[in-house]
Amino acid sequence: MRDLITTLVRSALERAIKDGEVTLPVPADVTVERPRDPSHGDWATNVALRHAREAKMPPRELAEVIAARMSGHPDVAAVEVAGPGFLNVRLSPHALQRVLTEVRRSGAGYGRLTLGAGEKWQVEFVSANPVGPMHVGHGRWAALGDSMARVLEHAGYAVEREFYVNDAGVQMDIFAASVSARYLELCGVDAVFPEDGYRGAYIVDIAREIHAEEGDAWADAPAAEREAHFKEKAYAQVLEHLKRVLHGMGVEFDVWFSERTLHEPGPDGTSEIERAIADLRAAGHIYEKDGATWFASAAFGDDKDRVLKKADGAYTYFAADIAYHKDKFDRGFDRVIDLWGADHHGYIKRMEAAVAALGHPGKLTVVIGQLVNLFRGGEVVRMSKRTGEMVTFEDLLDEVGADAARYFFLRRSTDQPLDFDIALAKEQSAENPVYYVQYAHARICAILRKAAGAETDDVSVDIAATASSLVSDDAPLALLDAEAELALMRKLAEMPEVVETAAVQLAPYKLTRYAEDLAAAFHQFYTQCRVVSDDPDLTAARLYAVDATRIALKTVLGLVGVSAPERM
RNA sequence: GCGCCCGUAGCUCAGCUGGAUAGAGCAAGAGACUUCUAAUCUCUAGGUCGGGGGUUCGAAUCCCUCCGGGCGUGCCA
């Protein structure tokens, strides 16, 4: 629709220039946008303002010339010159009614774009250390990353979802030692709990499970042997937990990437980490100092150079991260998106530097997800993996449900810390916007059941089948010209633009806002326009509009990752 | 100290690649169900866009500066 209006404006201006009415080179920057105030029409352009000086005409006069050449088009109801020289374009009912046809023809593919042109993108998110249960922040990033991936897919990208498992390194050792200490306690052996160990109750649970399975068998084993064994047992349990919780909220990963594989030697005897450093060295970005191996990241915009291999011979976490990102780009992604917690934002510059040094400048986008502050009826709930004082994300899901959790997590812009009140999310009231949107969908389904002659709360009715048999393709859409009907169609027309913005800005929260707007437009329509009446033509036309709204609502909820209930 | 994020209505937040009279939800007040779901709708009220400078036809938006809040700033992971 935007393209259509842009073309109309441009060709009107071009004709005016050709006819000698305006003296101006044909401008390249003719753009139309949505006016903030809907009373200003559907589309507006400031071309006249921008080029008045060049054309040596007052802006309003130039605008009048363009307006005069735009009127008469069947999709345009009115073109007005407003304010200092804006051109406001109002779409005709006919143009809006056509949107309904487009929605119904596209079905679940409504709003799909070719923006991505099939480019291969990767979204890596959650990537929680496998040393404990998912916390609420991980839940937000899961909702965010998954919805981002869904939007990008809708916008035409080929998207892969990846979870990076930090299963190597010191955290895993501490984790194993913590489980081991709890296990020994269960065996009745006096054990010293590691000073920096994980104190959460879940560690005890894991130890108990191992003890139930294997008894005291490991009590007398050498510590190193026991911990090595427990590490794998406990790791497997946590990984199972992560997969179960994520699956439970509808998030599925294509790849679970193990950090260990970066450390293991390949067929040629070198690890991926070593090969990544060798690449950087060959490109001249590596030097030795104070017994350590350094990456000259400052040359790529980092604050200072970074150590990759410490004087003691161990690789830093950053070295593994570089190898990991090299691996990603070796897999052929056109763009890699990392979703990190806010506490990692200090790493963005060095990671971007590394990616640039590896020969992929600008192909990494790091999105920072701010933290979640958990409340319960106004009281702060603490979340700490170390003290064990925490609400796990699984607990939260059990309590508020996946729909409410996902919806709440997405409602804020990514770089905004989120206050999540458990009591509020549970509340089934007007304060809870997820129900507002879902309710609109449920209401539509009730109308369709009613129109089909079924009981309005008959759950056995197949809505999609009912809709397709009930709604006639040649319904007289021209009858739809009431204010509430036009407003609903306008809102439906916006969806492709919303998908585009959400994809370009990696901002799924735009979808929740749109979903609420669309639901509001429907609720208003519902209040003002009786759908099933004894006027068969009007009923047919309105059923058509209602079904288009159902499709769009279901689609946008799908992009958010929230269900569209047929009855509430 | 330096870096990133933030400061907009009583609360939670949109609007930020400059555009028209700064918006929404909640909370507050007043109304609307013998009708396809009132988990809804309608109306009212609510603002020095943190302060100050600058850039220009035009600034919540861009630049500078100050104030306030959050996070980060390891040869940790």
Side-chain angles (χ1 to χ4, degrees):
Chain A
M1 197 61 86
R2 167 184 246 124
D3 294 345
L4 176 76
I5 303 301
T6 306
T7 307
L8 279 176
V9 173
R10 184 183 287 126
S11 87
L13 181 57
E14 277 169 1
R15 277 177 282 135
I17 291 170
K18 193 160 159 249
D19 297 350
E21 202 172 346
V22 176
T23 313
L24 196 69
V26 176
D29 62 339
V30 176
T31 54
V32 299
E33 47 192 34
R34 293 277 186 185
R36 196 179 309 162
D37 182 344
S39 73
H40 290 145
D42 295 301
W43 295 98
T45 176
N46 60 358
V47 264
L49 280 170
R50 297 185 77 98
H51 298 284
R53 189 181 292 176
E54 215 181 333
K56 297 193 172 66
M57 284 172 86
R60 287 191 62 104
E61 199 175 304
L62 177 55
E64 292 287 0
V65 169
I66 300 170
R69 285 164 188 272
M70 284 182 68
S71 55
H73 191 280
D75 288 339
V76 174
V79 185
E80 294 144 16
V81 177
F86 290 101
L87 262 176
N88 292 336
V89 181
R90 216 169 289 275
L91 293 176
S92 66
H94 171 258
L96 294 169
Q97 289 148 6
R98 220 173 41 217
V99 172
L100 298 177
T101 310
E102 197 187 322
V103 176
R104 290 199 71 246
R105 199 192 52 230
S106 310
Y110 181 59
R112 207 172 267 287
L113 309 174
T114 53
L115 181 72
E119 270 193 29
K120 202 175 150 194
W121 283 23
Q122 184 208 54
V123 184
E124 180 221 320
F125 57 109
V126 186
S127 299
N129 288 344
V131 295
M134 270 181 79
H135 60 63
V136 178
H138 292 133
R140 182 182 191 188
W141 303 329
L144 219 43
D146 184 54
S147 184
M148 226 176 251
R150 290 174 188 228
V151 173
L152 289 171
E153 279 165 349
H154 213 66
Y157 296 91
V159 181
E160 248 182 66
R161 296 162 172 80
E162 182 151 318
F163 190 117
Y164 181 50
V165 190
N166 295 120
D167 53 5
V170 180
Q171 292 301 321
M172 288 296 284
D173 296 337
I174 296 172
F175 177 47
S178 306
V179 173
S180 174
R182 294 302 188 210
Y183 170 84
L184 291 177
E185 283 170 15
L186 290 171
C187 299
V189 178
D190 222 6
V192 182
F193 195 79
E195 201 178 321
D196 52 357
Y198 296 111
R199 297 184 180 280
Y202 68 92
I203 297 286
V204 181
D205 295 339
I206 294 173
R208 190 168 289 136
E209 202 155 315
I210 293 175
H211 187 254
E213 238 175 74
E214 311 197 20
D216 290 351
W218 293 89
D220 299 324
E225 216 173 284
R226 180 175 58 239
E227 286 172 20
H229 176 67
F230 285 9
K231 188 196 277 186
E232 299 315 309
K233 298 280 291 188
Y235 170 32
Q237 275 195 39
V238 172
L239 208 56
E240 205 42 57
H241 158 87
L242 294 173
K243 289 184 178 177
R244 186 181 64 240
V245 173
L246 287 162
H247 176 78
M249 70 184 290
V251 175
E252 308 290 350
F253 285 89
D254 300 300
V255 176
W256 292 75
F257 191 99
S258 160
E259 183 192 347
R260 288 178 181 177
T261 60
L262 300 170
H263 297 265
E264 288 159 2
D268 65 347
T270 63
S271 71
E272 276 211 78
I273 294 178
E274 286 159 345
R275 290 199 294 275
I277 293 176
D279 276 12
L280 290 176
R281 195 187 299 277
H285 306 309
I286 296 290
Y287 62 90
E288 310 291 330
K289 191 182 88 181
D290 303 335
T293 301
W294 294 71
F295 164 45
S297 55
F300 292 91
D302 194 7
D303 301 332
K304 56 176 195 175
D305 293 346
R306 306 289 173 177
V307 170
L308 299 186
K309 189 177 189 178
K310 298 184 275 185
D312 67 6
Y315 290 105
T316 58
Y317 189 88
F318 183 44
D321 255 344
I322 292 178
Y324 177 42
H325 282 76
K326 172 177 147 51
D327 186 281
K328 292 189 187 199
F329 284 106
D330 286 350
R331 280 183 269 159
F333 292 111
D334 296 300
R335 174 163 297 275
V336 163
I337 296 168
D338 289 0
L339 181 50
W340 293 351
D343 51 341
H344 285 79
H345 77 243
Y347 285 75
I348 298 178
K349 277 188 183 171
R350 76 188 68 168
M351 204 64 246
E352 286 173 346
V355 168
L358 287 168
H360 309 286
K363 285 191 171 182
L364 169 70
T365 303
V366 179
V367 176
I368 287 301
Q370 293 288 332
L371 304 169
V372 177
N373 304 308
L374 205 54
F375 294 83
R376 189 185 290 279
E379 292 280 307
V380 180
V381 181
R382 301 219 160 271
M383 293 183 283
S384 164
K385 209 180 281 183
R386 314 206 53 110
T387 62
E389 211 190 322
M390 63 190 295
V391 173
T392 67
F393 180 56
E394 194 172 27
D395 295 340
L396 187 76
L397 274 183
D398 286 347
E399 214 173 329
V400 309
D403 280 350
R406 286 189 74 143
Y407 197 91
F408 262 69
F409 285 150
L410 285 188
R411 247 186 125 221
R412 295 277 169 269
S413 113
T414 320
D415 45 21
Q416 199 74 244
L418 178 73
D419 288 342
F420 191 103
D421 196 306
I422 299 172
L424 197 67
K426 268 170 79 177
E427 203 172 307
Q428 307 207 345
S429 75
E431 283 185 63
N432 207 337
V434 62
Y435 295 115
Y436 181 85
V437 178
Q438 291 183 320
Y439 184 54
H441 186 266
R443 261 186 158 176
I444 288 174
C445 295
I447 295 174
L448 292 171
R449 282 188 291 261
K450 166 91 176 178
E455 291 299 316
T456 54
D457 58 351
D458 183 350
V459 273
S460 68
V461 175
D462 182 326
I463 290 297
T466 303
S468 66
S469 70
L470 202 62
V471 180
S472 158
D473 285 338
D474 46 11
L477 301 184
L479 295 175
L480 302 174
D481 59 357
E483 213 25 73
E485 289 166 335
L486 296 175
L488 179 59
M489 294 186 282
R490 282 197 180 94
K491 201 42 86 176
L492 286 169
E494 277 178 35
M495 189 164 141
E497 299 154 45
V498 174
V499 172
E500 178 171 358
T501 309
V504 169
Q505 301 184 9
L506 300 175
Y509 76 90
K510 304 269 183 192
L511 297 168
T512 59
R513 298 190 73 83
Y514 174 72
E516 285 163 47
D517 284 353
L518 182 57
F522 172 75
H523 285 310
Q524 285 155 27
F525 159 82
Y526 178 91
T527 311
Q528 289 171 41
C529 302
R530 170 89 197 173
V531 177
V532 182
S533 67
D534 40 17
D535 177 340
D537 284 345
L538 190 59
T539 298
R542 285 183 171 164
L543 277 175
Y544 197 101
V546 159
D547 190 47
T549 309
R550 175 185 69 83
I551 291 166
L553 269 176
K554 187 169 180 169
T555 304
V556 72
L557 281 172
L559 294 177
V560 170
V562 169
S563 71
E566 294 177 0
R567 183 165 162 264
M568 286 173 77

